[in-house]
Amino acid sequence: MFEQALRARLGLDKATHVALMSELWEGFSAVAATNPYAQFPEARSRDFLATPSDANYPIADPYFKWHVAQDAVNQGAALVLTSVEAARRASIDPCKWIFLHGYSAIKDRLVSERADLSRSRAMETALEGALEMAGKSAGDIGHFDLYSCFPCAVLLAAEALGVDWRTTSCTVTGGLPFFGGAGNNYSMHAIATMVERLRAAPEDFGLVLANGGFLSKEAVGVYSAVPPEAWRPKPGDGRQAEIDAVPAPPLLSETTEATIDSYTVTWKKGRPSRGYVVASNDKGRIIARARTGHRATLLTLSEGDAIGRRVRIVHEKGVNFIEAGSRLCEPAPKGGLGTRRFDDVIVERDGHILEVTFNRPDAMNALHSAVHFQLHEIWDEFERDPDLWVGIVTGAGDRAFCSGNDLKITAKGGDMAQPPTGFAGLCGRFDRTKPIIAAVNGVAMGGGLEIVLAADLAVAEEKSRFALPEVRVGLYAAAGGVQRLTRQIGRKAAMELILTGRHFGVDEALALGVINRRCDDGGAMAAARELAGQLLENSPSAIRASKEALNRLEELESLEEAMAANNRIFGRLARTKDFREGVTAFAEKRKPEWTGA
């Protein structure tokens, strides 16, 4: 947040600021490369640091891995602090003595209470206080170690000191990303290294800036081998009181529109994970986050420059949530967040009906992690949009509704993460209040059948084929298929289909109650629209009330608790040889060789 706010104040676009951070860190890494105590003693170029790669992946906008402190280190430092009298008694060589000439420690306000996130008033005040006590200016300092957890910490300190970091080295160790970020002990390493520098240059002065928290606590020391004149502890000078007295912007917790002042998107395994904004309007400041799993919205934050854009924020159950720039299927308004992309899903509105199409026909509409997250966001929005009353879900092409999980991606070790609402963003969603109709237009296997079972109503074309074939590839129907099929058609009938994995057609599906209606080939969407039209003739409020009552019945019968055990059971299964053999054999199009292990 601080880095983005600083970038905005400096008037830089994202690429230019990444280049600036990388130029700064190139110098730090060069120092670490010559430090025998550095954890990562390798000079890294600005080009490497500015380019995302497997070795320099996104962490949190605008940072890549090597832009931030590396705290997975094994380092220790120590120093001996004595009076002059004690040093003499211990016969410590005076050539080793380094004196403290000035110091200051300041604590800033909570982040939400700071009026300007592009500055650190605590840092500025601490630097000023330490230099004043030492009777020095920044120009008198020959060696600096400015705390370097993130580039903005160094940039803000250098700005406050009036130091040009391009011509003046701001580290004696190599900094937290390259020397190593030894938890709360880095600044002791900096002081110990500064002592060595000053022993070698006894006429020079050195300054160490330490930082804690979110630019929250600042401490500065000015050191030299030159003995201070009449040194005494620093009396209170009122600087902390000045920080404490700065008025804080009013903090809002309400549904409102505001302009984004700063933001960040965090990343996990190359995918957007969380997003936050700090925004303001004429009433005050509001801090909000993206809804869990809403990757499409996160990408609209990350891919453009969100600073200065208008955003709608909705307050729900004590939390401020970032709303997407527009409703589903509508373009984003000018000046707001960009239009969301759903690359593997087609979404269309038809009055009060939302039509969702799995759009991977070449893969038989098999789904993978990214698609689950797209559908999670789509169904979330469907539930919240008061103008959408009924949903229809179908598959693109004429061969498949959905053939389940994309086992080829699984076999290659691809991402298997799912959103909180599970497979297709639907199978783990237990609080839906709007009906969803599955329009089955071909194969509905594995996860595809589980989607049909999770839907409220289903129509299917004559050619449709159904199955839970997971046991044939070393898996089991862990997206609710085992539980829902048993509930919907009875234990004995379900047990046969689950344990054999056999296919069944539309006649049996209708007889068992897996689907509500059958239709001619090519007619699934027409039949689903006809059924949706019948629902729209009724009160949407009454339909929602009926769904809520049925949800309560599901709770009493503990479907959610039953499915909660799936993670544990599936985890054990995923560690077996049969699991690996099943997905590998499928990808290689051969018969699996089971071992039972």
Side-chain angles (χ1 to χ4, degrees), residues 362-363 366 405-414 583 586-589:
D362 293 341
N405 182 45
D406 194 327
L407 292 180
K408 292 182 179 179
I409 291 179
T410 302
K412 294 177 182 177
V583 295
F586 178 87
E588 295 174 354
K589 297 182 179 180

Side-chain angles (χ1 to χ4, degrees), residues 3 46 66 93-94 145-146 208 308 397:
E3 198 78 57
R46 67 186 70 183
W66 289 103
D93 187 344
D145 196 274
L146 305 181
V208 175

